[in-house]
Amino acid sequence: MIKAGIIGATGYAGAELARLLANHREAEVIWYGSHSYVGQEYTQIYQNMYEIADSTCLDDNMAEVARQADIIFTATPQGLCASLIQEDILSGTKVIDLSADFRIKDVKKYEAWYSIQHPAPQFIDEAVYGLCEINRDQIRNARLIANPGCYPTCSILSIYPLLKEGFLDPSTIIIDAKSGVSGAGRGAKTDNLFCEVNENIKAYGAATHRHTPEIEDQLSIAAGEDLVISFTPHLVPMNRGILVTAYASLTKEHENADYAQLREIYDHYYQKETFVRVLEKDVYPQTRWVRGSNYVDVNFQIDPRTHRIILMGAMDNLIKGAAGQAVQNMNLMFGLDERTGLESIPLFP
Amino acid sequence: MIKAGIIGATGYAGAELARLLANHREAEVIWYGSHSYVGQEYTQIYQNMYEIADSTCLDDNMAEVARQADIIFTATPQGLCASLIQEDILSGTKVIDLSADFRIKDVKKYEAWYSIQHPAPQFIDEAVYGLCEINRDQIRNARLIANPGCYPTCSILSIYPLLKEGFLDPSTIIIDAKSGVSGAGRGAKTDNLFCEVNENIKAYGAATHRHTPEIEDQLSIAAGEDLVISFTPHLVPMNRGILVTAYASLTKEHENADYAQLREIYDHYYQKETFVRVLEKDVYPQTRWVRGSNYVDVNFQIDPRTHRIILMGAMDNLIKGAAGQAVQNMNLMFGLDERTGLESIPLFP
Amino acid sequence: MIKAGIIGATGYAGAELARLLANHREAEVIWYGSHSYVGQEYTQIYQNMYEIADSTCLDDNMAEVARQADIIFTATPQGLCASLIQEDILSGTKVIDLSADFRIKDVKKYEAWYSIQHPAPQFIDEAVYGLCEINRDQIRNARLIANPGCYPTCSILSIYPLLKEGFLDPSTIIIDAKSGVSGAGRGAKTDNLFCEVNENIKAYGAATHRHTPEIEDQLSIAAGEDLVISFTPHLVPMNRGILVTAYASLTKEHENADYAQLREIYDHYYQKETFVRVLEKDVYPQTRWVRGSNYVDVNFQIDPRTHRIILMGAMDNLIKGAAGQAVQNMNLMFGLDERTGLESIPLFP
Amino acid sequence: MIKAGIIGATGYAGAELARLLANHREAEVIWYGSHSYVGQEYTQIYQNMYEIADSTCLDDNMAEVARQADIIFTATPQGLCASLIQEDILSGTKVIDLSADFRIKDVKKYEAWYSIQHPAPQFIDEAVYGLCEINRDQIRNARLIANPGCYPTCSILSIYPLLKEGFLDPSTIIIDAKSGVSGAGRGAKTDNLFCEVNENIKAYGAATHRHTPEIEDQLSIAAGEDLVISFTPHLVPMNRGILVTAYASLTKEHENADYAQLREIYDHYYQKETFVRVLEKDVYPQTRWVRGSNYVDVNFQIDPRTHRIILMGAMDNLIKGAAGQAVQNMNLMFGLDERTGLESIPLFP
């Protein structure tokens, strides 16, 4: 049994990790770390785990967790994981960081977008960007995983194949993303109250959202050149789910490509992937069909009038966009079948 | 592997059965029966099953299903199962009927409340009311199960222990129930459109809902006398979930009973039950904590001013209230661990 | 023009008052009082009022408001209005208190249910319970109005006629109420976050909710005897709306009364009332049909099997249940047509 | 009093017209036309109008309506208005068509996108595109108004000033729009059931939606050249509201324009407009702040990294996007204050 510690187990992403690991036949949670609920029964906070988990919330003493656990998940605010991590810890334990601390290789860029000083830049190079479908091999041997952000996971997987194969003009990428409210966390903020979110849709952080450089970094690697994108997230009145609608111009040489041609590229990249489902022609991704699962559904639509392509992806932000991908990474790091503990079929309706 | 046929696999309850059985390690669905979608790919209708199920919808030829399947689930409108069932079928196959056809032992009562003539009254006596926690032993040996209704399951399990033990005045039971919209099925009716249900709550079928006699029958057995209840269901703007708030007067001799005393009764009945969770004192059942699982959460509150008790229960109407209980029944009938395929932890948020 | 001051203008009820008064042709808001947002533009907090209101939030200096305003509305937490009110204020200004401070005539009862000491018991007797349809005449001449609670308004209006006329057994009244989330206020609490409320229904405060004695007091007056009730509120995932489902036994002498007979009573009480709509037979109140208006829709269903009657009422909790009723009271106090500023037709969908 | 007839009064847009006109002091509805509910009480279908409207649904005999009414609103499926309209009708009555029949000047384009033959092309030239803020003068003298579509209204008003003034590269416009479900109408379709829409977001009609040519036509007029756009609508789980997020590249000469400069353009176009509110810098439009009103809130964000601008607009799709704009058009046509009957302040929450 893999002994897992969760630092930040009482946020939504941490709680989803706890839920997934409770049904994982090769792992068990031995540390429910929390900032706000130390000493309380975990199941008093997450009543869904009543009679399933039986533990008291502990603090976020990472060194102590490292002594007891084979793997540590940090589902914590920016900067916390980096401020606690040390060579001692990494030498004996694996770490999967669900925050952004190790996602961006350029520390100056990180500090500019996140407005904090990076507390542990010495580990940035070593950290592997844990997007399993793309970096599977490095993940297997990593000690430290930078678990991708929710918007980046959905955006990158939707765009990656065609960009990598040179079908998209890298200067034209626009990502219009829509997220359920659990992505905003469990902090008690007026803006996230039911009455403020329900019957509402809004954009936020247009041109300034922190996931922008993360997406750009990964897409730049795919494109083989530095690119900038437009990225606008929106808040949708639903609990779970992210939908990405991305726009790009087809490159001149491919501007008359048809669906079948482009579909072949998608299939080449994804047909062996369990967790990326390329939908049938004219069937668009919808969050309802992936909720509660680790799937990302993708598809695209060609617009012959504008020579643009509309690339779409849908996933559960708390699973493939956070806790599920973290478990997938853990599975890879411990030599397990990548799908272990992630067998849930999307819950509909 | 148990071969299962589903008649009515494209309604919400049938689809939930398909989903649960797809993750059941001892069973597989070999017949996706449908009235409206014969010949269509199942995954075109339920896109969540894309790349999971790989089947075309078949018709509702029950005799043919019986030849191929070890068990048949009928998730169909009232009267259909009863009109198709025959001794031939039952002699070779087990049947779990998710409709109300075999739930009410008094055929006249059935016909009065459902306004249809019963097509197969000869099987009513044999049918076992499949509320596992109460009729477990008879279920194991049954050929034909009347799978309980959603409101009855939640109502009965909430009230049963105290009524059976004589703490409740049988003439005072009032059940005010609230259900998510999936309980209304997938038929395209104006009343169930998003804009009609969202931002709305309403009662319906007050004093006339068909689940009334079903609840009365089972509670009468518990009470050892015939009783009538008031039952009012409500439609709540959410997909899944039933909450029951029931009221009853404590019997004279017990009118000063305290929580601990009554709690002991509950524990006596439910502490060995996996799927009934008696919550801690002052923690009320909420549908969010059971969604996506087979659990029923129950608890109660004593009102010393009125000598009434408020009994509460929450569950997922499509799982413990329909498909999950059907799988639980199947497990019992085939000698499996009752929990097989029902391990899902409630999905929150 | 009536000059109105609102203390607590940045909560949901206060904001609804501001909105209603902005469209009231005989009144204007001259003081937007706030505890948390003093000095901020009101329209930065309530963006719906952008280019409509043009004011900065002021503090809750009631004496100063009294000097400037003809009427003061207090939409504030329990105890605040009572702690600020004085004879000086009341001698020059009218006050409508939307909190519970002056609703309960028995100060001990108030203190027991609200767990605070009443700061100004000397005004309790004078205060008029502002349920316009019942106490219209006293309201006209009042200096101090105790504006009714949301649950009490809907409960009392649903039950009043039949109770007053002796058709209901006073010892059997059970009120199962369901409210939208705006009733819980705009405070930033985890329990009211979107993800906690959405896809959920729960009971809360069963047998202990503070609106219980308020309902009992008013119904006792109607019944002509002291009565106790069971009252259970529920939280429904919607912004606005309260639905009351109440149960009572018909008195022995009336236990065979039919719909037409009882309907006559309702019509007698309400046919001249603009804001109480008695629906047609078999049409149940639903919150969608009253949202955004000052209407209460009521109806009832007789259950001949149990000799109980199910009484139902629906209204918008922020309007008839708070701000709208306060405006209705103001209209009465200033000799205006009671409907002024309350002409909005329910917004559907 | 203006006598108004509504053909299609039982759809959501028609019902919203009926609601607005019931509160309009210069108009009254004298014909509630319906296809599906002829002979039924209007208030049985729209219970919000109970005791307010008092009429029976009539048929869609446009010639007869024309004899009785001063103005006819057609809130009907594509092709119906055009198939009924005649010179006789127009010579005695004004017509505001809420369908798309007269919005597109090029009949071939109309027929290509709508897949129907235009039944009355002779009236296309005469019809005025009823976007009041842009075509106010022609509207005043029109007999036949093509009331704009919901997406076009919000899109055009968000983009118009900067495009017209030459700040946007016309070849780069991408519109990502999000709509509440009432935009899909009241037809009983499985896809619009509560359980299918709730907890879901999806794109639909990418690159093929029928509002595309309508937006292109109007933006081409503004730009002074033919342009094509990318347009992707999305369905959001809420009743009302449209949010437009549009992307465009700043033209070379203006690529370093700052907020103040562009804001001046917006103010120039909109500061005298009651129903277009340009929000303060960094405040984004949200549908919750316009719901229930005729407002469009607009604003924009410059992205200096990509030299793109993100243009945003929010409105209530049933009011400014349909019935409210129709009333605004009627007011203009009859020489009334444009705001008559449209004074509602947005209802929040």
Side-chain angles (χ1 to χ4, degrees):
Chain A
M1 274 314 242
I2 302 166
K3 288 183 196 324
I6 303 173
I7 298 183
T10 52
Y12 287 143
E16 188 67 0
L17 256 174
R19 194 182 70 88
L20 291 173
L21 292 173
N23 256 356
H24 192 292
R25 62 180 175 273
E26 309 275 355
E28 62 178 329
V29 176
I30 54 103
W31 190 286
Y32 291 86
S34 174
H35 183 72
S36 314
Y37 299 100
V38 179
Q40 281 194 41
E41 285 299 306
Y42 188 73
T43 59
Q44 286 178 343
I45 304 156
Y46 284 94
Q47 197 75 25
N48 57 328
M49 299 285 274
Y50 186 63
E51 296 189 355
I52 296 166
D54 179 20
S55 288
T56 302
C57 291
L58 302 173
D59 61 20
D60 48 12
N61 182 340
M62 200 172 182
E64 181 54 33
V65 189
R67 269 187 286 281
Q68 302 183 20
D70 303 310
I71 186 160
I72 302 173
F73 296 92
T74 51
T76 47
Q78 314 311 329
L80 187 76
C81 176
S83 74
L84 297 174
I85 208 160
Q86 297 174 23
E87 181 56 35
D88 270 9
I89 290 169
L90 277 179
S91 62
T93 325
K94 296 174 195 297
V95 173
I96 296 179
D97 177 25
L98 281 76
S99 85
D101 287 0
F102 298 102
R103 293 178 194 160
I104 294 175
K105 292 296 174 195
D106 178 343
V107 66
K108 291 223 177 79
K109 198 190 283 185
Y110 173 87
E111 294 180 348
W113 284 84
Y114 283 87
S115 306
I116 48 174
Q117 211 192 329
H118 199 294
Q122 69 273 24
F123 295 113
I124 295 181
D125 271 355
E126 172 181 357
V128 173
Y129 189 75
L131 191 45
C132 311
E133 285 74 14
I134 293 179
N135 298 326
R136 187 170 281 123
D137 291 336
Q138 298 104 290
I139 292 165
R140 286 192 223 272
N141 304 307
R143 302 192 303 175
L144 173 58
I145 294 288
N147 206 61
C150 53
Y151 287 125
T153 297
C154 198
S155 300
I156 297 164
L157 290 173
S158 299
I159 298 170
Y160 188 82
L162 292 183
L163 182 63
K164 179 121 172 99
E165 297 297 323
F167 283 73
L168 307 181
D169 177 346
S171 72
T172 62
I173 299 173
I174 290 172
I175 299 173
D176 191 286
K178 296 93 179 167
S179 175
V181 189
S182 59
R186 212 190 189 201
K189 294 180 194 154
T190 301
D191 267 358
N192 295 333
L193 289 175
F194 183 84
C195 291
E196 309 289 315
V197 171
N198 186 39
E199 285 293 294
N200 188 43
I201 180 163
K202 66 171 178 185
Y204 64 100
T208 62
H209 191 278
R210 293 165 167 190
H211 282 173
T212 310
E214 182 181 340
I215 300 170
E216 288 178 348
D217 278 6
Q218 299 303 318
L219 293 185
S220 293
I221 295 172
E225 63 177 271
D226 279 357
L227 55 77
V228 291
I229 62 164
S230 290
F231 174 65
T232 312
H234 297 75
L235 194 69
V236 178
M238 59 184 192
N239 286 357
R240 289 175 179 242
I242 279 185
L243 182 73
V244 157
T245 315
Y247 303 85
S249 295
L250 291 166
T251 46
K252 209 76 195 158
E253 57 178 308
H254 294 298
E255 83 178 18
N256 295 314
D258 64 8
Y259 185 84
Q261 239 180 305
L262 302 185
R263 173 63 188 240
E264 218 171 276
I265 312 282
Y266 267 90
D267 286 341
H268 172 70
Y269 277 82
Y270 292 141
Q271 69 190 349
K272 289 188 188 147
E273 295 295 341
T274 296
F275 293 125
V276 183
R277 303 191 294 193
V278 186
L279 303 182
E280 291 177 11
K281 187 169 186 303
D282 295 328
V283 178
Y284 293 177
Q286 303 188 30
T287 61
R288 63 173 154 157
W289 301 126
V290 293
R291 182 173 58 245
S293 80
N294 200 48
Y295 291 109
V296 184
D297 284 358
V298 299
N299 210 344
F300 60 89
Q301 173 83 35
I302 300 166
D303 183 356
R305 299 166 66 251
T306 61
H307 298 306
R308 289 197 193 101
I309 185 166
I310 300 105
L311 306 138
M312 292 168 278
M315 61 169 209
D316 185 318
N317 59 303
L318 289 180
I319 305 188
K320 184 63 179 173
Q325 184 142 265
V327 170
Q328 198 181 349
N329 277 312
M330 179 191 80
N331 290 341
L332 286 168
M333 294 164 95
F334 284 86
L336 304 174
D337 184 319
E338 196 172 331
R339 299 164 297 184
T340 313
L342 299 170
E343 300 89 350
S344 284
I345 297 171
L347 184 77
F348 173 82
Chain B
M1 277 312 243
I2 302 165
K3 289 185 197 321
I6 303 172
I7 298 184
T10 53
Y12 287 143
E16 188 67 358
L17 255 175
R19 194 182 69 88
L20 291 173
L21 292 173
N23 256 356
H24 193 292
R25 60 180 177 275
E26 309 276 356
E28 63 178 328
V29 176
I30 55 100
W31 188 288
Y32 292 86
S34 175
H35 183 72
S36 312
Y37 299 100
V38 179
Q40 281 195 44
E41 285 300 306
Y42 187 73
T43 61
Q44 288 178 341
I45 304 156
Y46 284 93
Q47 197 74 25
N48 57 329
M49 298 286 274
Y50 186 62
E51 297 188 355
I52 296 166
D54 178 20
S55 288
T56 302
C57 291
L58 302 173
D59 60 21
D60 48 12
N61 180 340
M62 200 171 182
E64 180 55 34
V65 188
R67 269 187 286 280
Q68 301 184 20
D70 303 310
I71 186 160
I72 301 174
F73 296 93
T74 51
T76 46
Q78 314 311 330
L80 188 76
C81 176
S83 74
L84 296 174
I85 209 161
Q86 295 175 24
E87 181 55 36
D88 269 10
I89 289 169
L90 277 179
S91 62
T93 324
K94 294 174 195 299
V95 173
I96 297 178
D97 177 25
L98 280 78
S99 85
D101 287 0
F102 298 102
R103 293 178 194 159
I104 295 174
K105 293 296 174 197
D106 177 343
V107 66
K108 291 223 177 79
K109 198 190 284 186
Y110 173 88
E111 294 180 349
W113 284 85
Y114 283 87
S115 306
I116 49 176
Q117 211 193 332
H118 199 295
Q122 70 274 24
F123 295 113
I124 294 180
D125 271 354
E126 171 180 359
V128 173
Y129 189 73
L131 191 45
C132 311
E133 285 75 13
I134 293 179
N135 299 326
R136 188 170 279 123
D137 290 335
Q138 300 101 292
I139 292 165
R140 286 191 223 273
N141 304 307
R143 301 192 305 174
L144 172 60
I145 295 286
N147 207 60
C150 51
Y151 288 124
T153 297
C154 197
S155 301
I156 297 163
L157 290 174
S158 300
I159 298 170
Y160 188 82
L162 292 185
L163 181 63
K164 178 117 172 105
E165 297 297 323
F167 283 74
L168 308 181
D169 176 346
S171 72
T172 63
I173 299 173
I174 290 173
I175 299 173
D176 190 286
K178 297 91 177 169
S179 174
V181 189
S182 59
R186 212 190 188 200
K189 294 180 193 155
T190 301
D191 267 358
N192 295 332
L193 289 175
F194 182 84
C195 291
E196 309 289 316
V197 171
N198 187 40
E199 286 292 294
N200 189 43
I201 180 163
K202 66 171 177 185
Y204 64 99
T208 62
H209 192 277
R210 294 165 167 190
H211 283 172
T212 309
E214 182 181 339
I215 299 170
E216 288 177 348
D217 278 6
Q218 300 301 319
L219 293 185
S220 293
I221 295 171
E225 63 178 270
D226 279 356
L227 54 78
V228 289
I229 62 165
S230 289
F231 174 66
T232 312
H234 297 76
L235 194 69
V236 177
M238 59 182 192
N239 286 356
R240 286 175 181 244
I242 278 185
L243 182 72
V244 157
T245 314
Y247 303 85
S249 296
L250 291 166
T251 45
K252 210 74 193 159
E253 57 177 308
H254 295 296
E255 85 180 14
N256 295 313
D258 65 9
Y259 185 84
Q261 239 180 306
L262 301 185
R263 173 63 187 241
E264 216 170 277
I265 312 282
Y266 267 90
D267 286 340
H268 171 70
Y269 278 81
Y270 292 142
Q271 68 190 350
K272 290 190 189 147
E273 294 295 340
T274 297
F275 294 125
V276 183
R277 302 191 296 193
V278 186
L279 303 183
E280 292 177 10
K281 187 169 186 305
D282 294 328
V283 178
Y284 292 177
Q286 303 188 29
T287 61
R288 61 173 156 158
W289 301 125
V290 293
R291 182 173 59 243
S293 80
N294 200 48
Y295 292 109
V296 183
D297 283 359
V298 298
N299 210 345
F300 60 89
Q301 173 84 37
I302 300 166
D303 183 355
R305 300 166 65 252
T306 60
H307 298 305
R308 289 197 192 101
I309 185 166
I310 300 105
L311 307 138
M312 292 170 277
M315 62 169 208
D316 185 319
N317 60 304
L318 289 180
I319 304 188
K320 184 61 180 173
Q325 184 143 266
V327 170
Q328 197 180 349
N329 277 311
M330 179 191 80
N331 291 340
L332 286 169
M333 294 163 95
F334 284 87
L336 303 175
D337 183 320
E338 195 172 330
R339 298 164 299 183
T340 313
L342 299 170
E343 300 89 350
S344 283
I345 297 171
L347 185 77
F348 173 81
Chain C
M1 272 317 239
I2 303 165
K3 289 184 199 320
I6 303 172
I7 298 184
T10 52
Y12 287 142
E16 188 67 358
L17 256 174
R19 193 182 70 88
L20 291 173
L21 292 173
N23 256 357
H24 192 291
R25 61 181 176 274
E26 308 276 358
E28 62 178 329
V29 177
I30 55 101
W31 190 288
Y32 292 86
S34 175
H35 182 72
S36 314
Y37 299 99
V38 179
Q40 281 194 42
E41 286 300 306
Y42 187 73
T43 60
Q44 287 178 342
I45 303 155
Y46 284 94
Q47 198 74 25
N48 58 328
M49 299 285 274
Y50 186 62
E51 295 187 359
I52 295 165
D54 179 20
S55 288
T56 302
C57 292
L58 302 172
D59 60 20
D60 48 11
N61 181 339
M62 201 171 183
E64 180 55 34
V65 189
R67 271 187 285 280
Q68 302 184 20
D70 303 311
I71 186 160
I72 301 173
F73 296 93
T74 49
T76 46
Q78 313 311 330
L80 188 76
C81 177
S83 72
L84 297 174
I85 209 159
Q86 297 175 23
E87 180 56 34
D88 270 9
I89 289 169
L90 277 179
S91 63
T93 325
K94 295 175 193 299
V95 173
I96 297 179
D97 177 25
L98 280 78
S99 84
D101 287 0
F102 298 101
R103 293 179 193 158
I104 294 174
K105 292 296 174 196
D106 178 342
V107 66
K108 291 222 177 79
K109 198 191 282 184
Y110 173 88
E111 295 182 347
W113 286 84
Y114 284 87
S115 307
I116 48 176
Q117 210 191 333
H118 199 295
Q122 70 273 26
F123 295 113
I124 295 179
D125 271 355
E126 172 181 359
V128 173
Y129 190 73
L131 191 46
C132 312
E133 285 73 13
I134 292 178
N135 299 326
R136 187 170 281 124
D137 290 335
Q138 300 103 288
I139 292 166
R140 285 191 225 272
N141 303 308
R143 302 191 305 173
L144 172 59
I145 295 287
N147 207 61
C150 52
Y151 288 125
T153 297
C154 198
S155 301
I156 297 164
L157 291 173
S158 300
I159 298 170
Y160 188 83
L162 292 184
L163 181 64
K164 178 118 172 102
E165 297 297 323
F167 283 73
L168 307 183
D169 176 345
S171 71
T172 63
I173 299 173
I174 290 172
I175 299 174
D176 190 287
K178 296 92 178 169
S179 174
V181 188
S182 59
R186 212 192 189 198
K189 294 180 194 154
T190 302
D191 267 359
N192 295 332
L193 290 174
F194 183 85
C195 291
E196 309 290 316
V197 171
N198 187 40
E199 287 292 295
N200 189 42
I201 180 162
K202 65 171 178 186
Y204 64 100
T208 62
H209 192 277
R210 293 164 166 192
H211 283 172
T212 309
E214 183 181 340
I215 300 170
E216 287 178 348
D217 277 6
Q218 299 302 319
L219 293 186
S220 293
I221 297 171
E225 63 176 270
D226 279 357
L227 55 78
V228 291
I229 62 165
S230 290
F231 174 64
T232 312
H234 297 75
L235 194 70
V236 178
M238 61 183 190
N239 285 356
R240 286 173 181 246
I242 279 184
L243 182 73
V244 157
T245 314
Y247 303 84
S249 295
L250 291 166
T251 45
K252 209 77 196 158
E253 59 178 305
H254 295 298
E255 81 178 19
N256 295 314
D258 66 8
Y259 185 85
Q261 238 180 307
L262 302 184
R263 173 64 187 238
E264 218 170 275
I265 313 281
Y266 268 89
D267 286 340
H268 172 70
Y269 277 81
Y270 292 141
Q271 71 189 352
K272 289 189 188 148
E273 295 295 340
T274 297
F275 294 126
V276 182
R277 304 191 295 193
V278 186
L279 304 183
E280 291 177 10
K281 186 169 187 305
D282 295 328
V283 178
Y284 292 178
Q286 304 188 28
T287 61
R288 63 174 157 158
W289 301 124
V290 292
R291 183 174 55 243
S293 81
N294 200 48
Y295 291 109
V296 183
D297 283 0
V298 299
N299 211 344
F300 59 90
Q301 173 83 36
I302 300 166
D303 183 356
R305 300 167 64 251
T306 60
H307 298 305
R308 289 197 193 101
I309 183 166
I310 299 105
L311 306 137
M312 291 169 278
M315 63 168 206
D316 185 319
N317 58 305
L318 289 179
I319 304 186
K320 184 62 178 171
Q325 183 141 267
V327 170
Q328 198 180 349
N329 277 311
M330 180 192 79
N331 291 340
L332 286 168
M333 294 164 95
F334 285 85
L336 304 175
D337 184 319
E338 195 173 329
R339 298 163 300 183
T340 313
L342 299 171
E343 301 89 351
S344 283
I345 298 170
L347 185 77
F348 173 81
Chain D
M1 271 320 239
I2 303 165
K3 289 184 196 321
I6 303 172
I7 299 184
T10 51
Y12 287 143
E16 188 67 359
L17 256 174
R19 193 182 69 88
L20 291 173
L21 292 172
N23 255 357
H24 193 292
R25 61 181 175 274
E26 307 277 357
E28 62 176 331
V29 176
I30 54 103
W31 189 287
Y32 293 86
S34 174
H35 183 72
S36 315
Y37 300 99
V38 179
Q40 282 194 41
E41 285 302 306
Y42 187 72
T43 60
Q44 287 178 341
I45 304 156
Y46 284 94
Q47 197 76 23
N48 57 328
M49 299 285 274
Y50 186 62
E51 296 188 357
I52 297 166
D54 178 20
S55 288
T56 302
C57 291
L58 303 172
D59 61 20
D60 49 12
N61 181 340
M62 200 172 185
E64 181 54 33
V65 188
R67 269 186 287 279
Q68 303 184 19
D70 303 310
I71 185 160
I72 301 173
F73 296 93
T74 50
T76 45
Q78 314 310 329
L80 187 76
C81 176
S83 74
L84 297 174
I85 208 159
Q86 295 175 24
E87 182 54 35
D88 270 9
I89 290 169
L90 277 179
S91 62
T93 325
K94 295 175 195 297
V95 173
I96 297 179
D97 176 25
L98 280 78
S99 84
D101 287 1
F102 298 101
R103 294 179 193 157
I104 294 174
K105 292 297 174 194
D106 178 344
V107 66
K108 290 221 177 81
K109 198 191 284 185
Y110 173 88
E111 295 182 347
W113 284 84
Y114 283 86
S115 306
I116 48 175
Q117 212 192 332
H118 199 294
Q122 70 274 24
F123 295 113
I124 294 179
D125 271 355
E126 172 182 357
V128 173
Y129 189 74
L131 190 46
C132 311
E133 285 74 14
I134 292 178
N135 299 326
R136 186 169 282 122
D137 290 336
Q138 300 103 287
I139 292 165
R140 285 190 223 273
N141 303 307
R143 301 192 303 175
L144 172 60
I145 295 289
N147 206 61
C150 53
Y151 288 124
T153 297
C154 198
S155 301
I156 296 163
L157 290 173
S158 300
I159 298 171
Y160 187 84
L162 292 184
L163 181 63
K164 178 119 172 101
E165 297 298 324
F167 283 73
L168 307 181
D169 176 347
S171 72
T172 63
I173 299 172
I174 290 172
I175 299 172
D176 190 286
K178 296 91 179 168
S179 174
V181 188
S182 59
R186 213 191 188 198
K189 293 179 194 158
T190 301
D191 268 358
N192 295 332
L193 290 175
F194 183 84
C195 290
E196 311 288 316
V197 171
N198 186 41
E199 285 293 296
N200 189 40
I201 180 163
K202 67 171 178 184
Y204 64 100
T208 61
H209 191 276
R210 293 163 168 194
H211 283 172
T212 310
E214 183 180 341
I215 300 170
E216 286 178 349
D217 277 6
Q218 299 301 320
L219 293 185
S220 293
I221 295 171
E225 64 176 89
D226 280 357
L227 56 76
V228 291
I229 62 164
S230 289
F231 174 65
T232 313
H234 298 75
L235 194 70
V236 178
M238 60 184 190
N239 285 358
R240 285 174 181 244
I242 278 184
L243 182 73
V244 157
T245 314
Y247 302 85
S249 297
L250 291 166
T251 46
K252 209 76 195 160
E253 56 177 310
H254 295 298
E255 82 177 19
N256 295 314
D258 65 8
Y259 185 83
Q261 239 180 304
L262 301 185
R263 173 62 187 239
E264 218 171 276
I265 312 282
Y266 267 89
D267 285 340
H268 171 72
Y269 278 81
Y270 293 140
Q271 70 190 351
K272 289 188 190 148
E273 295 295 341
T274 296
F275 293 126
V276 183
R277 303 191 294 194
V278 186
L279 303 182
E280 291 176 11
K281 186 170 186 305
D282 295 328
V283 178
Y284 293 178
Q286 303 189 30
T287 60
R288 61 174 156 159
W289 301 125
V290 294
R291 181 173 58 242
S293 80
N294 200 46
Y295 292 110
V296 183
D297 284 359
V298 298
N299 210 345
F300 58 91
Q301 173 84 37
I302 300 166
D303 183 356
R305 302 166 63 250
T306 60
H307 298 305
R308 288 196 193 102
I309 185 166
I310 299 103
L311 307 138
M312 291 169 278
M315 62 169 208
D316 185 317
N317 59 304
L318 289 180
I319 303 187
K320 184 62 179 171
Q325 184 142 265
V327 170
Q328 199 181 348
N329 277 311
M330 180 191 79
N331 290 341
L332 286 169
M333 294 163 95
F334 285 85
L336 304 174
D337 184 320
E338 195 173 329
R339 297 164 300 183
T340 315
L342 299 170
E343 300 90 349
S344 284
I345 297 171
L347 184 77
F348 172 82

